Amino acid sequence: MKKKILIIDDEHLIRNFLKTILTNAGYEVREAINGEEGLHLFYTFSPDLVITDIVMPEKDGIEVIMEIRKNDSSVKLIAISGGGYVTADKYLNLAKALDISTCFNKPFHSHEIIEAVQELIGS
C-alpha cells in the first residue's frame, strides 16, 4: 500500500513540482490550494505526511499545523516557506515550535524533499 502525502500550497508551480517528484517516487499524492481546502482533504484523505506552505490565503500554514496537531499528533509534517511579511526563517522558526518534523526554505531541491520524506515515512 502506497504511503499518502498531502501538499498544501497556494503556488501552482510548487504544488506541481512536489506532486511530480513524490508521485514518481511512489507515493500517493493529493494537493490543496489553501489551508482550508487542505484541512478538508486532511480529514478525508488521512495522509501519512503533510507538506504545507506557511503563507497562504484562507488559512495559513501555522493555523493548519495547529489544527492538525490538535487532532492527530502522529502525522508527520513538513513546513515550507518563501517568506512574506517577514523572512522565511521567522515563519519556519514559528512552525518548528509547533512540533513539525522538518522545514525547508523555498526554493529547495527535489532530492532534499525526497530524502526527508523517505526518512519520515519510508518509501
Side-chain angles (χ1 to χ4, degrees):
M1 185 173 196
K2 288 184 177 183
K3 299 282 184 156
K4 299 190 290 187
I5 299 174
L6 172 60
I7 300 164
I8 309 169
D9 197 309
D10 60 323
E11 293 181 60
H12 172 74
L13 291 175
I14 298 291
R15 285 194 322 274
N16 192 47
F17 171 73
L18 288 170
K19 183 175 185 176
T20 300
I21 64 169
L22 294 168
T23 300
N24 289 343
Y27 298 98
E28 182 179 348
V29 180
R30 296 283 189 283
E31 54 186 298
I33 62 170
N34 61 50
E36 190 145 323
E37 181 180 306
L39 286 170
H40 174 74
L41 271 174
F42 175 78
Y43 293 117
T44 58
F45 180 55
S46 301
D48 300 292
L49 175 109
V50 175
I51 300 174
T52 185
D53 189 17
I54 298 297
V55 181
M56 297 181 290
E58 306 299 321
K59 282 188 186 279
D60 66 34
I62 298 300
E63 293 172 295
V64 168
I65 292 166
M66 289 171 51
E67 185 162 334
I68 288 172
R69 279 290 170 247
K70 185 171 66 172
N71 293 290
D72 186 344
S73 61
S74 66
V75 69
K76 304 299 184 191
L77 287 160
I78 296 176
I80 58 177
S81 182
Y85 295 113
V86 296
T87 65
D89 289 336
K90 291 198 187 295
Y91 287 119
L92 294 173
N93 284 335
L94 179 56
K96 286 177 191 173
L98 299 173
D99 191 29
I100 61 164
S101 305
T102 193
C103 59
F104 293 97
N105 286 322
K106 292 178 185 175
F108 42 76
H109 296 282
S110 58
H111 68 88
E112 295 173 303
I113 296 292
I114 296 296
E115 287 171 10
V117 169
Q118 289 174 340
E119 184 178 307
L120 292 170
I121 63 172
S123 304

